[in-house]
Amino acid sequence: MNANPEGWGRRALSGLALVLVIALGARWAYELLAPLVPFAASLLVVGAVGVLLFKRRR
């Protein structure tokens, strides 16, 4: 009696499809978020400078 009705070839194909979908999703997320990196970095620098300035005033 086989506990897994699918053959190993079908499971390998399913795993390959899953890896492909994850890779495509990661690429899509990178392309979507990459333009935001310079904006986020500049906000971080401006925020750090602001914290330093307000800390010295007190």
Side-chain angles (χ1 to χ4, degrees):
M1 182 176 222
N2 192 0
N4 185 12
E6 294 183 2
W8 65 269
R10 199 171 189 132
R11 287 196 59 165
L13 211 61
S14 177
L16 186 63
L18 180 63
V19 168
L20 185 63
V21 166
I22 290 171
L24 288 174
R27 182 177 172 93
W28 178 73
Y30 172 76
E31 288 178 357
L32 186 67
L33 296 176
L36 296 177
V37 171
F39 180 70
S42 63
L43 278 180
L44 187 67
V45 169
V46 168
V49 169
V51 166
L52 288 174
L53 287 176
F54 285 124
K55 210 173 196 182
R56 285 188 180 178
R57 281 191 174 178
R58 289 183 182 192

